[in-house]
Coordinates of all heavy atoms in Angstrom, one line a residue:
Y834 N 1.2 -4.5 -19.0 CA 0.4 -3.3 -18.7 C -0.4 -3.4 -17.5 O -0.5 -2.5 -16.7 CB -0.4 -3.0 -20.0 CG -1.3 -1.8 -19.8 CD1 -0.9 -0.5 -20.0 CD2 -2.6 -1.9 -19.3 CE1 -1.7 0.6 -19.8 CE2 -3.5 -0.8 -19.1 CZ -3.0 0.4 -19.4 OH -3.8 1.5 -19.1
L835 N -1.2 -4.5 -17.4 CA -2.1 -4.7 -16.2 C -1.3 -4.8 -14.9 O -1.7 -4.2 -13.9 CB -2.9 -5.9 -16.4 CG -4.1 -6.0 -15.4 CD1 -5.0 -4.8 -15.4 CD2 -4.9 -7.3 -15.6
R836 N -0.1 -5.4 -15.0 CA 0.7 -5.5 -13.8 C 1.1 -4.1 -13.3 O 1.1 -3.8 -12.1 CB 2.0 -6.3 -14.1 CG 1.8 -7.8 -14.0 CD 3.1 -8.5 -14.4 NE 3.0 -9.9 -14.4 CZ 3.4 -10.7 -13.4 NH1 3.9 -10.2 -12.3 NH2 3.3 -12.0 -13.5
R837 N 1.5 -3.2 -14.3 CA 1.9 -1.9 -14.0 C 0.8 -1.1 -13.3 O 1.1 -0.4 -12.3 CB 2.4 -1.2 -15.2 CG 3.8 -1.6 -15.7 CD 4.4 -0.7 -16.7 NE 3.6 -0.5 -17.9 CZ 3.7 -1.3 -19.0 NH1 4.5 -2.3 -19.0 NH2 2.9 -1.0 -20.0
T838 N -0.4 -1.2 -13.8 CA -1.5 -0.4 -13.2 C -1.9 -0.9 -11.9 O -2.2 -0.2 -11.0 CB -2.7 -0.3 -14.2 OG1 -3.6 0.6 -13.7 CG2 -3.4 -1.6 -14.3
M839 N -1.7 -2.2 -11.7 CA -2.1 -2.8 -10.4 C -0.9 -2.5 -9.4 O -1.2 -2.2 -8.2 CB -2.3 -4.3 -10.5 CG -3.5 -4.7 -11.3 SD -3.7 -6.4 -11.7 CE -3.9 -7.1 -10.0
D840 N 0.3 -2.5 -9.8 CA 1.4 -2.1 -9.0 C 1.2 -0.6 -8.5 O 1.5 -0.3 -7.4 CB 2.7 -2.2 -9.7 CG 3.2 -3.7 -9.9 OD1 2.7 -4.6 -9.1 OD2 4.0 -3.9 -10.7
H841 N 0.7 0.2 -9.4 CA 0.5 1.6 -9.1 C -0.6 1.7 -8.0 O -0.4 2.5 -7.1 CB 0.1 2.4 -10.3 CG 0.0 3.8 -10.1 ND1 1.0 4.6 -9.6 CD2 -1.1 4.7 -10.3 CE1 0.6 5.9 -9.6 NE2 -0.7 5.9 -10.0
S842 N -1.6 0.9 -8.1 CA -2.7 0.9 -7.1 C -2.1 0.5 -5.7 O -2.4 1.1 -4.7 CB -3.8 0.0 -7.5 OG -4.5 0.5 -8.6
L843 N -1.2 -0.5 -5.7 CA -0.6 -0.9 -4.4 C 0.3 0.2 -3.9 O 0.3 0.4 -2.7 CB 0.2 -2.2 -4.6 CG -0.7 -3.4 -4.9 CD1 0.2 -4.7 -5.1 CD2 -1.7 -3.7 -3.8
R844 N 1.0 0.9 -4.7 CA 1.9 2.0 -4.3 C 1.1 3.1 -3.7 O 1.4 3.6 -2.6 CB 2.8 2.5 -5.4 CG 3.9 1.6 -5.8 CD 4.9 2.3 -6.7 NE 4.3 2.7 -8.0 CZ 4.3 1.9 -9.0 NH1 4.9 0.7 -9.0 NH2 3.8 2.3 -10.2
L845 N 0.0 3.4 -4.3 CA -0.9 4.5 -3.8 C -1.5 4.1 -2.4 O -1.7 4.9 -1.5 CB -2.0 4.9 -4.8 CG -1.5 5.6 -6.0 CD1 -2.6 5.7 -7.0 CD2 -0.9 6.9 -5.7
A846 N -1.9 2.8 -2.3 CA -2.5 2.3 -1.0 C -1.4 2.4 0.0 O -1.7 2.8 1.2 CB -3.0 0.9 -1.2
G847 N -0.2 2.0 -0.3 CA 0.9 2.1 0.7 C 1.2 3.5 1.1 O 1.5 3.7 2.2
S848 N 1.2 4.4 0.1 CA 1.5 5.8 0.4 C 0.4 6.4 1.4 O 0.7 7.1 2.3 CB 1.5 6.6 -0.8 OG 2.6 6.2 -1.7
A849 N -0.8 6.0 1.2 CA -1.9 6.5 2.0 C -1.7 5.9 3.5 O -2.0 6.6 4.5 CB -3.3 6.0 1.5
F850 N -1.3 4.7 3.5 CA -1.0 4.1 4.9 C 0.0 4.8 5.7 O -0.1 4.9 6.9 CB -0.6 2.6 4.7 CG -0.4 1.9 6.0 CD1 -1.4 1.6 6.9 CD2 0.9 1.5 6.3 CE1 -1.1 1.0 8.1 CE2 1.2 0.9 7.5 CZ 0.2 0.7 8.4
Q851 N 1.0 5.3 5.0 CA 2.1 6.0 5.7 C 1.6 7.3 6.4 O 2.3 7.9 7.2 CB 3.2 6.4 4.7 CG 3.9 5.2 4.1 CD 4.6 4.3 5.2 OE1 5.2 4.9 6.2 NE2 4.4 3.0 5.1
L852 N 0.4 7.8 6.0 CA -0.1 9.0 6.6 C -0.9 8.7 7.9 O -1.4 9.6 8.6 CB -1.1 9.7 5.6 CG -0.4 10.1 4.3 CD1 -1.4 10.7 3.4 CD2 0.7 11.1 4.6
L853 N -1.1 7.4 8.2 CA -1.9 7.0 9.4 C -1.1 6.9 10.6 O 0.1 6.5 10.5 CB -2.6 5.7 9.1 CG -3.6 5.7 7.9 CD1 -4.2 4.3 7.7 CD2 -4.8 6.7 8.2
P854 N -1.6 7.1 11.8 CA -0.9 6.9 13.0 C -0.6 5.4 13.2 O -1.4 4.6 12.7 CB -1.8 7.5 14.1 CG -3.2 7.4 13.5 CD -3.0 7.6 12.0
S855 N 0.4 5.1 14.0 CA 0.7 3.7 14.3 C -0.3 3.1 15.2 O -0.9 3.8 16.0 CB 2.1 3.6 14.9 OG 3.1 4.1 14.0
S856 N -0.4 1.8 15.1 CA -1.3 1.0 16.0 C -0.6 -0.3 16.4 O 0.5 -0.6 15.9 CB -2.7 0.8 15.4 OG -2.6 -0.2 14.4
A857 N -1.3 -1.1 17.2 CA -0.7 -2.4 17.6 C -0.5 -3.3 16.4 O 0.4 -4.2 16.4 CB -1.7 -3.1 18.6
W858 N -1.2 -3.1 15.3 CA -1.1 -4.0 14.1 C -0.4 -3.3 13.0 O -0.4 -3.8 11.8 CB -2.5 -4.4 13.7 CG -3.0 -5.5 14.5 CD1 -2.4 -6.7 14.9 CD2 -4.3 -5.6 15.1 NE1 -3.2 -7.5 15.7 CE2 -4.4 -6.9 15.8 CE3 -5.4 -4.8 15.1 CZ2 -5.6 -7.3 16.4 CZ3 -6.6 -5.2 15.7 CH2 -6.6 -6.4 16.4
T859 N 0.3 -2.2 13.2 CA 1.0 -1.6 12.1 C 2.0 -2.5 11.4 O 2.0 -2.6 10.1 CB 1.8 -0.3 12.6 OG1 0.8 0.7 12.9 CG2 2.7 0.2 11.5
P860 N 2.8 -3.3 12.1 CA 3.8 -4.2 11.3 C 3.0 -5.2 10.5 O 3.5 -5.6 9.4 CB 4.5 -4.9 12.5 CG 4.4 -4.0 13.6 CD 3.1 -3.4 13.5
E861 N 1.9 -5.7 11.0 CA 1.2 -6.8 10.2 C 0.5 -6.1 9.0 O 0.5 -6.7 7.9 CB 0.1 -7.4 11.1 CG 0.7 -8.3 12.1 CD 1.2 -7.5 13.3 OE1 0.6 -6.5 13.7 OE2 2.3 -7.9 13.9
V862 N 0.0 -4.9 9.1 CA -0.6 -4.2 8.0 C 0.5 -3.9 6.9 O 0.2 -4.1 5.7 CB -1.3 -3.0 8.4 CG1 -1.9 -2.2 7.2 CG2 -2.5 -3.3 9.3
E863 N 1.6 -3.5 7.4 CA 2.7 -3.2 6.4 C 3.1 -4.5 5.7 O 3.4 -4.5 4.5 CB 3.9 -2.7 7.2 CG 3.7 -1.2 7.7 CD 4.9 -0.7 8.5 OE1 5.7 -1.6 9.0 OE2 5.1 0.5 8.5

């Protein structure tokens, strides 16, 4: 259960990142 809720937090963080413009460190952040 805890893994699922933590995975969900990571997915939401990743989705928010996709809305940001690219920068010199985009590959490293990804």
Side-chain angles (χ1 to χ4, degrees):
Y834 175 86
L835 190 59
R836 281 176 181 264
R837 287 195 298 272
T838 189
M839 292 172 67
D840 287 340
H841 185 57
S842 289
L843 291 182
R844 284 193 296 271
L845 291 173
S848 297
F850 177 69
Q851 294 302 316
L852 301 176
L853 298 175
S855 297
S856 73
W858 281 312
T859 291
E861 291 76 39
V862 174
E863 289 178 335

